[in-house]
């Protein structure tokens, strides 16, 4: 019996100290805002349209295939002004998204969401089209390797390779780079925050700015809103709410066995890394979604480390509502804010260059 108790205590210690890592509850010390006001009628229509996705039948590979097909059709029927140019160079896959008249020396690396399981450049064309317009830039939308066919490390490698490639390549081949943004949503927001920290540590040219829509920042799943916002999140609640009933240590061990990367490692949990010396980052999130505290905690820690990271939150919005443009007024408001953020970043850059 004594040996059994010792083994249990050892497993618990390894789970919390090695797999999970630091207790981040200290980042929850301030009052959390709660949703107020009313969403637009258009948002209610969006929520209603999501019922098809959240009620998909089937299981395993069949359900995943259905989800991928559903997501790839999300931009169908939209009037997109951009040109879409496929890229397939060795292991690098994706597409250029080029709005009329943009400057290709200004570039955006976009990393799509989809829980690392689904999504593609096609599924997120409504976002990449708008970002090309707002940023006056050529957007490279990356088609990175997904679970479960590949491990997390391979998708991360694809993001790092794309970052290096974009530093020297535009839509027409090798070209100077004047302005670089890395952006992504949800799982892609996680990869966005991971890659900007990696670029800093690798002594590469840093991005001029980064944008993260509703990012997952902690795969240890310790954020309070992962449970408190299940009922108010019409997308992630039905899809992932049941996971919250599984003891966290079991999820940490499953994650480690599957990917051979501890949840505590910054490469998969950007919140748990060094957040100093980052470029300007804009984080947009809904106060009603399960990932609200993932975003809020990341911003609080980054600001405490001296990085210029800004949080913008909306009440009631569905997860990654920015994809529902132009029909959703709140999405258009979000892009207006992105334009203002980028203008501010470039204004500061210009002042610093003048001072030097």
């Amino acid at each position: 019996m004594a040996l059994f108790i010792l083994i249990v205590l050892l497993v618990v210690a390894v789970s919390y100290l090695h797999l999970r890592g630091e207790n981040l509850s200290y980042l929850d010390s301030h009052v959390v805002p709660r949703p107020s006001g009313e969403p637009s009628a258009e948002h209610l229509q969006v929520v209603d349209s999501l019922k098809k996705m959240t009620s998909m039948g089937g299981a395993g590979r069949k359900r995943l295939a259905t989800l991928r097909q559903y997501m790839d059709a999300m931009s169908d029927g939209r009037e997109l002004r951009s040109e879409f140019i496929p890229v397939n160079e060795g292991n690098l896959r994706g597409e250029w998204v080029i709005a009329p008249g943009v400057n290709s020396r200004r570039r955006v690396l976009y990393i799509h969401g989809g829980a690392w399981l689904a999504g593609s450049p096609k599924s997120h064309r409504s976002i990449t089209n708008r970002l090309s317009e707002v940023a006056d830039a050529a957007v490279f939308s990356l088609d990175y390797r997904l679970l479960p066919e590949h491990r997390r490390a391979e998708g991360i490698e694809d993001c790092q390779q794309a970052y290096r490639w974009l530093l020297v390549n535009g839509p027409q081949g090798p070209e100077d780079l004047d302005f670089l943004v890395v952006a992504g949503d949800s799982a892609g927001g996680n990869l966005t925050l991971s890659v900007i920290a990696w670029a800093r540590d690798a002594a590469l040219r840093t991005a001029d700015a980064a944008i993260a829509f509703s990012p997952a920042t902690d795969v240890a799943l310790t954020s309070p809103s992962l449970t408190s916002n299940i009922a108010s999140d019409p997308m992630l609640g039905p899809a992932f709410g049941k996971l919250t009933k599984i003891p966290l240590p079991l999820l940490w061990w499953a994650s480690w066995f599957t990917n051979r990367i501890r949840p505590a490692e910054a490469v998969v949990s950007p919140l748990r890394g060094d957040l100093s010396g980052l470029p300007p980052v804009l984080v947009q999130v809904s106060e009603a979604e399960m990932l609200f505290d993932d975003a809020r905690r990341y911003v609080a820690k980054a600001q405490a480390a001296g990085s210029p990271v800004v949080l913008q939150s909306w009440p009631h919005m569905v997860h990654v509502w920015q994809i529902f443009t132009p029909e959703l007024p709140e999405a258009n408001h979000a892009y207006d804010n992105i334009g203002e953020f980028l203008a501010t970043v470039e204004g500061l850059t210009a002042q610093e260059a003048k001072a030097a």
Side-chain angles (χ1 to χ4, degrees):
M1 178 62 71
L3 179 60
F4 175 76
I5 293 174
L6 180 61
I7 292 174
V8 169
L9 291 176
L10 180 60
V11 170
V12 170
V14 170
S15 298
Y16 281 87
L17 298 179
H18 184 65
L19 296 182
R20 183 203 67 178
E22 180 187 12
N23 183 349
L24 298 175
S25 60
Y26 71 92
L27 294 170
D28 303 322
S29 58
H30 71 279
V31 176
V32 177
R34 302 310 306 164
S36 60
E38 296 294 332
S40 65
E42 293 84 352
H43 182 264
L44 298 177
Q45 293 173 0
V46 164
V47 170
D48 188 63
S49 72
L50 292 173
K51 292 178 181 178
K52 180 180 178 181
M53 181 181 74
T54 57
S55 62
M56 288 178 182
R61 294 300 179 100
K62 182 179 179 180
R63 181 182 177 87
L64 178 58
T66 302
L67 173 62
R68 288 175 174 177
Q69 291 172 2
Y70 177 89
M71 289 191 67
D72 274 357
M74 290 186 72
S75 293
D76 289 354
R78 297 176 182 271
E79 294 185 9
L80 306 174
R81 300 174 64 238
S82 295
E83 180 181 10
F84 300 93
I85 304 173
V87 174
N88 193 341
E89 296 190 11
N91 292 329
L92 185 70
R93 300 182 306 278
E95 67 181 17
W96 283 108
V97 183
I98 307 173
V102 301
N103 180 359
S104 62
R105 291 169 61 135
R106 299 168 57 87
R107 299 196 273 275
V108 177
L109 170 60
Y110 193 80
I111 309 173
H112 69 78
W116 302 281
L117 293 161
S120 69
K122 185 176 186 293
S123 66
H124 284 64
R125 281 179 174 174
S126 61
I127 289 180
T128 54
N129 172 73
R130 283 295 285 129
L131 282 180
S132 183
E133 295 173 337
V134 170
D136 181 28
V139 176
F140 178 69
S141 185
L142 175 65
D143 189 10
Y144 59 92
R145 286 172 285 183
L146 300 174
L147 301 173
E149 295 88 348
H150 304 278
R151 289 189 172 180
R152 281 288 305 278
E154 293 175 306
I156 293 167
E157 290 170 3
D158 291 342
C159 295
Q160 295 173 353
Q161 179 188 4
Y163 186 97
R164 289 183 183 274
W165 183 78
L166 217 61
L167 294 178
V168 294
N169 288 283
Q172 303 302 322
E175 183 181 30
D176 289 342
L177 175 66
D178 293 338
F179 191 73
L180 176 64
V181 178
V182 183
D185 65 281
S186 195
N190 169 286
L191 291 164
T192 291
L193 301 177
S194 174
V195 81
I196 61 173
W198 163 81
R200 174 203 60 199
D201 296 341
L204 295 173
R205 180 203 190 280
T206 59
D208 296 280
I211 301 165
F213 302 140
S214 305
T217 67
D218 182 16
V219 299
L221 306 175
T222 65
S223 295
S225 61
L226 288 174
T227 53
S228 64
N229 281 0
I230 292 175
S232 60
D233 189 327
M235 183 184 293
L236 300 184
F240 299 105
K242 292 180 180 179
L243 282 178
T244 62
K245 297 180 180 180
I246 301 174
L248 283 177
L250 292 182
L251 294 176
W252 300 335
W253 282 101
S255 177
W256 183 81
F257 278 122
T258 301
N259 298 297
R260 293 298 187 268
I261 303 175
R262 293 181 300 119
E265 293 189 37
V267 70
V268 292
S269 293
L271 172 61
R272 295 181 174 274
D274 175 12
L275 301 187
S276 64
L278 298 175
V281 180
L282 173 64
V283 178
Q284 293 184 339
V285 68
S286 167
E287 296 162 11
E289 65 174 304
M290 290 175 66
L291 290 177
F292 173 56
D293 284 330
D294 268 41
R296 183 190 56 74
R297 281 179 161 191
Y298 179 88
V299 172
K301 185 178 178 183
Q303 290 177 344
S307 291
V309 180
V310 178
L311 176 68
Q312 295 178 350
S313 64
W314 275 253
H316 300 294
M317 287 298 98
V318 69
H319 179 62
V320 192
W321 70 97
Q322 297 87 345
I323 201 170
F324 300 102
T325 180
E327 67 269 26
L328 192 58
E330 294 90 345
N332 299 328
H333 180 203
Y335 288 107
D336 289 342
N337 285 10
I338 291 169
E340 293 172 1
F341 166 74
L342 294 177
T344 300
V345 168
E346 294 192 84
L348 290 174
T349 301
Q351 292 172 14
E352 290 170 355
K354 185 177 181 180

